[in-house]
Amino acid sequence: MAFEVRIFPNSKGKSLYATSHIPMGTLILEEDPIVYCQFSWNALCKYKACDNCLRPLETAEENVRRLMGNPLFELPYPDCCQTDKNNSTSCDLCGNEYCSENCKISAFNQYHKVLCLQSRERNNSHPIELLEEAWKNMHYPPETSSIFLIVRLLANIVQASNTDEAIQKVLSFCHKSVNEEAQLAHKFLGDKFIHQISLLREMVANILPNPQISQFLTPEGFQSLLALIGTNAQGVGSSPFSAWRQNVEKLNLSSKDREKINNIVDTIYDDMYAHTGDFLNSEGVALYLKQSCINHSCDPNAEIKFLHNNSRLFLVALKDIQPDEEILISYLGECEINRSRHSRRKLLMENYIFACECSKCLEEIDQLDVTSEEDMSTEEDN
């Protein structure tokens, strides 16, 4: 491997460093999450995706028809669709859908065995159903995280062959001070619902009444899990139409056919936005061991990508990285990273509880502490 994890106990915790020269464009690492789940509202709104890895379970044409509200629309170049429905399967007991038998088995062996909600148990009063409803009422779209990431993480411990090892894996994530964890838990739930943290803890405990995970279901332990998810969870998205479009772009088409397909794609997006809005992808959240070790920079030398249209994460070099140089990504979105130094640092402090001292922030240290126009307009809207 071209990298190693280094631990700094008294400063920034874990970091990822290059052990050899990494040229720009190089795939540095790839990994599957230790736990993943789809957003609750996303699943309710019929965004069909594998319950274990988020791979789409509908064809690009089915996806477009649903998002456009046009059941008769025919998508050209059907061979460019990546969805293979022949391998799709489902849990015999609860009906959860998976993209393959391997994903079904993997889910069952990791967490689904103790979380499987059998059909006969669906009566709107099962602990899983109650938590699902409570969480949806606390987090309307657009969702940014899910309480069920914690549920699956704890179920993973319960089902593990080596409980102590599974617990240590959770504890290996960098933790904040008690006060910082309280701030992150508050951010996770928001002003309106922070008072319901005890209710959520009790509801999770009702789903998994197991002494093996009791340390995580104390008030302090549960707050720590919320903080862990709040700082380390990675958003994941997939789209059969987006994958189809990328494959169409690779076709050797004439200029006339290229223009025609571009017009079709533009029309599709216009119709999807008009019917569905901005939320066109299957979306969820995942927790990764190696990715969680990567620190932030406002001038990153690497970026995270999802190249297989599922939850498998890839880290790619944005520029040449030298031996013994830290590998850094941006925790901010594409628009946020272009804001003023003051605005970037404000966002990072609010969401991750640290004051950014990256090379870009140090270079811009003489800038006036002026809030970006984007932040000002957002504050005015609120």
Side-chain angles (χ1 to χ4, degrees):
M1 295 189 296
F3 66 89
E4 66 179 4
V5 176
R6 298 180 185 175
I7 301 175
F8 302 87
N10 298 319
S11 56
K12 57 185 178 182
K14 296 181 180 180
S15 303
L16 213 64
Y17 277 81
T19 56
S20 61
H21 175 244
I22 302 175
M24 180 176 66
T26 298
L27 172 61
I28 302 172
L29 69 84
E30 56 183 290
E31 67 172 324
D32 292 316
I34 60 171
V35 64
Y36 151 81
C37 66
Q38 189 178 9
F39 290 145
S40 298
W41 279 105
N42 199 262
L44 183 69
C45 295
K46 309 301 182 185
Y47 287 77
K48 293 177 65 65
C50 177
D51 194 53
N52 187 61
C53 78
L54 198 68
R55 188 181 299 278
L57 295 178
E58 59 185 353
T59 66
E61 184 173 81
E62 290 170 336
N63 181 241
V64 167
R65 287 178 172 180
R66 178 172 57 80
L67 295 174
M68 290 174 62
N70 183 353
L72 300 179
F73 183 85
E74 294 185 5
L75 193 66
Y77 305 108
D79 291 343
C80 289
C81 176
Q82 293 181 350
T83 305
D84 184 1
K85 299 180 70 172
N86 293 323
N87 292 325
S88 298
T89 186
S90 61
C91 174
D92 296 334
L93 298 174
C94 70
N96 278 9
E97 295 183 284
Y98 302 94
C99 66
S100 66
E101 189 68 20
N102 285 340
C103 260
K104 174 183 172 181
I105 293 172
S106 177
F108 188 81
N109 291 338
Q110 290 183 48
Y111 57 86
H112 189 62
K113 182 179 180 180
V114 298
L115 295 178
C116 182
L117 182 55
Q118 300 181 26
S119 298
R120 64 176 179 272
E121 297 176 313
R122 293 183 183 276
N123 54 12
N124 295 321
S125 61
H126 189 280
I128 290 178
E129 294 175 298
L130 294 176
L131 180 61
E132 184 86 50
E133 192 61 28
W135 184 253
K136 285 188 297 186
N137 288 332
M138 292 183 192
H139 288 76
Y140 290 97
E143 296 168 271
T144 56
S145 195
S146 173
I147 194 68
F148 281 92
L149 200 61
I150 289 177
V151 173
R152 289 190 176 184
L153 188 64
L154 295 178
N156 199 306
I157 295 174
V158 172
Q159 287 194 208
S161 57
N162 187 325
T163 303
D164 291 339
E165 185 178 286
I167 289 174
Q168 286 305 312
K169 182 183 290 187
V170 175
L171 296 178
S172 71
F173 286 89
C174 295
H175 290 276
K176 304 285 186 178
S177 69
V178 173
N179 288 338
E180 288 173 331
E181 287 182 344
Q183 292 180 57
L184 289 166
H186 191 285
K187 182 73 177 179
F188 187 83
L189 294 176
D191 293 339
K192 190 175 181 180
F193 299 108
I194 186 61
H195 65 283
Q196 295 193 19
I197 186 172
S198 295
L199 172 64
L200 289 174
R201 179 172 61 85
E202 292 172 7
M203 296 180 87
V204 171
N206 288 337
I207 293 174
L208 293 163
N210 192 300
Q212 293 174 306
I213 55 174
S214 59
Q215 70 186 86
F216 297 109
L217 293 174
T218 64
E220 297 79 11
F222 192 70
Q223 178 177 275
S224 181
L225 283 182
L226 290 177
L228 185 156
I229 298 300
T231 52
N232 293 286
Q234 169 68 49
V236 184
S238 66
S239 166
F241 174 61
S242 179
W244 171 90
R245 180 175 55 81
Q246 292 174 17
N247 287 334
V248 168
E249 290 175 355
K250 299 174 185 177
L251 296 177
N252 185 21
L253 301 178
S254 65
S255 298
K256 182 178 180 180
D257 287 341
R258 179 68 63 188
E259 181 179 2
K260 181 179 179 181
I261 194 63
N262 286 340
N263 289 335
I264 291 174
V265 169
D266 289 342
T267 300
I268 289 172
Y269 273 119
D270 288 343
D271 290 349
M272 288 195 301
Y273 284 128
H275 184 262
T276 304
D278 293 330
F279 311 110
L280 304 181
N281 297 338
S282 294
E283 296 183 340
V285 64
L287 198 62
Y288 300 85
L289 280 175
K290 295 186 180 71
Q291 175 267 349
S292 68
C293 299
I294 309 173
N295 287 311
H296 164 84
S297 172
C298 298
D299 183 24
N301 55 19
E303 67 175 338
I304 288 170
K305 293 187 174 183
F306 295 92
L307 303 177
H308 290 171
N309 212 24
N310 61 5
S311 61
R312 189 165 183 80
L313 178 147
F314 295 80
L315 182 68
V316 180
L318 287 173
K319 56 183 76 172
D320 285 357
I321 304 174
Q322 303 306 319
D324 213 38
E325 181 180 353
E326 186 174 3
I327 299 170
L328 300 162
I329 59 174
S330 172
Y331 294 177
L332 301 175
E334 187 176 345
C335 295
E336 297 167 336
I337 199 68
N338 293 317
R339 295 183 179 181
S340 69
R341 176 181 183 270
H342 176 69
S343 292
R344 297 195 310 268
R345 285 165 59 88
K346 179 182 176 183
L347 285 166
L348 291 166
M349 180 57 71
E350 289 176 351
N351 291 287
Y352 300 97
I353 319 295
F354 73 88
C356 186
E357 301 291 343
C358 73
S359 59
K360 184 175 179 180
C361 285
L362 292 176
E363 288 173 4
E364 297 175 354
I365 198 169
D366 293 331
Q367 284 186 358
L368 295 176
D369 285 347
V370 177
T371 303
S372 297
E373 292 182 5
E374 294 92 338
D375 286 348
M376 294 174 65
S377 62
T378 301
E379 290 173 1
E380 290 173 0
D381 291 341
N382 293 335

